[in-house]
Amino acid sequence: MNEWYVVLNILAFLILAGVLVYMQRKRISFSKRVFTALGLGLVFGFVLHWIYGKTSDELSLSMDWYNVVGYGYVKLLQMVTMPLVFISILSAFTKLKLTKNLGRIAGLILLLLIGTTAVSAAVGISTAFGFNLEAVQIHGGDAEQLRGQQLEQTYTQIQDQSFPSKVLQLLPANPFLDFTGQRPTSTIAVVIFAAIIGLAYLGVKRKEPVQADQFKSLVDSIYSIVMRVVTLVLRLTPYGVLAIMTKAVATSDFDAIVKLGKFVIASYVALLVVFIIHLILLSLFGLNPFTYVKKVLPVLTFAFTSRSSAGTLPLNVSTQTKHLGVSEGIANLSGSFGLTIGQNGCAGIYPAMLAVMIAPTVGIDPFTPSFIFTVIAVVAISSFGVAGVGGGATFAAILVLSALNLPVALAGLLISIEPLIDMGRTALNVSGAMTTGVITSKVNNELDLEVYNGAAEEVGA
């Protein structure tokens, strides 16, 4: 291995990062800096892939250094996720922003998330039919077989898990454990815990107003500090996007992508259709969909590159409140619920497409109405508790395939193109959560239309 090549790769990355620093000093908008970082990462990644291939020692060591910036940024976002969710939900109670229609708001958010996931499943099924996708068209190698064995092992760990047990997992038995994010449903558990404390605050406020005022002052102070931390972290977004995109392109298996291009194209067609459905829903509620697209593109770009709905949460919530006019309580509820419930891409499109592709291998006709409706229902129900990190779609696929008595191991056939498809799925997941927040806020007359229709406020200001 030639260490000098690694040094040159690092210097080249620093030069590209310097371009972003220059743009920031010239006060070029956040959106333009994010898209510039995306473009630079795309080109730089192709150059590195062309020079080194995808498995050289020089490239591997260079990627380790890039990860300091890319996944270091993701870790910082994950660091603020739980404090942000907890204090924002709690402050919504102390500021009386969520208390009047809490049940109605939460119910509408869940209805929209699960409803759009069911629609996503229908789109996934239709796309699989339209492109004539079948699992027998894919010839699995050693990597696919190994992945299939891993999926079967995962299935044995969850096969006895009933729907009521999934509901129980949402509850915060140990809030301190959930603050560490160790469970797939930790974020929802923190939301529930914050809501319980908020309700307790309201009770204290009626009986002991002095103590309640002291608690409110403490919450307001912590909220201000947490939001400042979020702002500081979000300023690093362009650099994180540059590093993550560079690695994603440089280490991609382009041969596999070309071989399975039909499945990649079909997946992105389905993702695009569902995104258009999001825009149609906004239009039905009297909102300009083009305004929405313009303001959420930086968020979706980061979700695309990072493949982490959880890591995107701070940017998600900040954009909903500052750019789209969604109230703080609703933005945090929709963003938090959207991490583990009703993910349109990971829990909707992907499992439905796999079910239709795999069904013929066991003699099931996927064109029958009964099978199609069963798939949609199972996908909607199984969308509870899907982890908001890379790989959540695989977990969702296991749940759906096992519920339909289809071979779980065949879900490993697409492992070589999984990262590429997962990028689009994650962006769609985040869009679904943001669309849900906007519509819920509009229905409850809490959407600030001046903010929604106005110019985007600079992130990190």
Side-chain angles (χ1 to χ4, degrees):
M1 182 183 70
N2 193 327
E3 289 80 2
W4 283 108
Y5 284 112
V6 177
V7 174
L8 289 175
N9 293 339
I10 295 173
L11 288 175
F13 179 85
L14 292 176
I15 291 172
L16 296 178
V19 173
L20 299 176
V21 172
Y22 174 80
M23 293 177 68
Q24 183 174 358
R25 289 183 176 177
K26 289 295 183 179
R27 298 189 179 279
I28 295 175
S29 70
F30 178 79
S31 299
K32 291 180 180 178
R33 284 186 277 129
V34 169
F35 285 115
T36 299
L38 179 66
L40 291 175
L42 189 67
V43 174
F44 188 43
F46 272 121
V47 171
L48 292 176
H49 185 91
W50 177 69
I51 294 174
Y52 301 106
K54 67 183 182 68
T55 57
S56 69
D57 292 337
E58 289 85 357
L59 184 64
S60 177
L61 186 55
S62 298
M63 292 305 109
D64 288 341
W65 283 101
Y66 296 170
N67 284 342
V68 174
V69 178
Y71 291 103
Y73 171 66
V74 173
K75 285 182 177 295
L76 289 176
L77 284 172
Q78 293 171 339
M79 171 192 74
V80 301
T81 294
M82 291 304 181
L84 172 65
V85 170
F86 176 76
I87 201 64
S88 296
I89 297 296
L90 186 54
S91 67
F93 280 88
T94 59
K95 297 175 182 177
L96 298 177
K97 291 186 176 180
L98 195 65
T99 56
K100 294 181 180 179
N101 301 305
L102 178 60
R104 177 185 174 186
I105 289 172
L108 181 56
I109 288 174
L110 292 176
L111 178 63
L112 287 169
L113 287 173
I114 297 173
T116 52
T117 299
V119 172
S120 301
V123 171
I125 293 171
S126 301
T127 306
F129 287 155
F131 281 82
N132 192 29
L133 301 181
E134 294 183 5
V136 294
Q137 298 170 352
I138 307 174
H139 301 285
D142 294 338
E144 286 75 15
Q145 292 178 5
L146 178 61
R147 181 59 170 167
Q149 294 172 1
Q150 294 173 344
L151 295 180
E152 287 183 329
Q153 293 174 357
T154 302
Y155 168 62
T156 59
Q157 299 173 2
I158 63 172
Q159 59 183 339
D160 297 327
Q161 199 175 80
S162 64
F163 182 75
S165 66
K166 294 180 188 178
V167 175
L168 286 175
Q169 288 183 355
L170 301 178
L171 300 178
N174 185 346
F176 300 102
L177 173 66
D178 288 319
F179 270 109
T180 66
Q182 294 300 305
R183 301 191 301 142
T185 57
S186 285
T187 305
I188 301 300
V190 170
V191 170
I192 295 173
F193 180 57
I196 291 173
I197 294 181
L199 292 172
Y201 160 80
L202 295 178
V204 172
K205 184 179 180 181
R206 288 192 298 267
K207 297 181 179 180
E208 302 176 80
V210 176
Q211 285 80 355
D213 288 341
Q214 292 175 347
F215 180 77
K216 179 182 182 302
S217 298
L218 176 63
V219 170
D220 290 345
S221 298
I222 296 176
Y223 178 81
S224 297
I225 296 297
V226 170
M227 291 307 298
R228 186 57 185 170
V229 173
V230 170
T231 297
L232 293 174
V233 174
L234 291 183
R235 287 177 174 174
L236 302 175
T237 300
Y239 311 100
V241 169
L242 171 64
I244 295 171
M245 197 64 196
T246 298
K247 179 181 179 181
V249 175
T251 58
S252 291
D253 187 346
F254 292 107
D255 292 335
I257 292 173
V258 172
K259 185 187 300 182
L260 298 173
K262 181 180 179 180
F263 299 91
V264 175
I265 294 172
S267 297
Y268 273 89
V269 166
L271 292 168
L272 180 61
V273 169
V274 176
F275 183 67
I276 292 173
I277 291 174
H278 291 171
L279 302 184
I280 292 174
L281 285 174
L282 292 171
S283 299
L284 293 176
F285 285 91
L287 300 170
N288 188 331
F290 298 104
T291 300
Y292 171 82
V293 172
K294 180 180 179 181
K295 293 187 175 184
V296 304
L297 270 180
V299 186
L300 302 186
T301 299
F302 177 73
F304 182 86
T305 54
S306 69
R307 297 172 53 206
S308 173
S309 298
T312 312
L313 181 62
L315 192 56
N316 177 340
V317 173
S318 176
T319 300
Q320 283 196 60
T321 54
K322 293 182 179 180
H323 297 191
L324 298 174
V326 179
S327 64
E328 292 173 359
I330 292 177
N332 279 280
L333 279 179
S334 63
S336 302
F337 282 162
L339 292 184
T340 54
I341 296 175
Q343 293 189 348
N344 291 181
C346 289
I349 291 176
Y350 185 66
M353 291 182 70
L354 281 181
V356 172
M357 291 168 54
I358 294 173
T361 65
V362 293
I364 297 177
D365 183 3
F367 290 96
T368 60
S370 60
F371 180 77
I372 293 174
F373 287 123
T374 301
V375 170
I376 293 174
V378 170
V379 166
I381 295 173
S382 300
S383 66
F384 282 82
V386 177
V389 295
T394 302
F395 183 73
I398 293 174
L399 293 176
V400 171
L401 295 178
S402 61
L404 296 171
N405 293 318
L406 297 175
V408 172
L410 292 182
L413 291 175
L414 299 176
I415 182 176
S416 57
I417 57 173
E418 184 77 12
L420 178 61
I421 298 176
D422 197 42
M423 289 171 141
R425 291 191 307 234
T426 305
L428 186 67
N429 294 341
V430 174
S431 176
M434 299 179 77
T435 303
T436 295
V438 172
I439 293 175
T440 301
S441 209
K442 181 69 163 59
V443 170
N444 287 276
N445 297 317
E446 294 192 26
L447 185 69
D448 190 332
L449 292 176
E450 290 186 4
V451 173
Y452 183 91
N453 294 316
E457 181 179 332
E458 178 71 4
V459 174

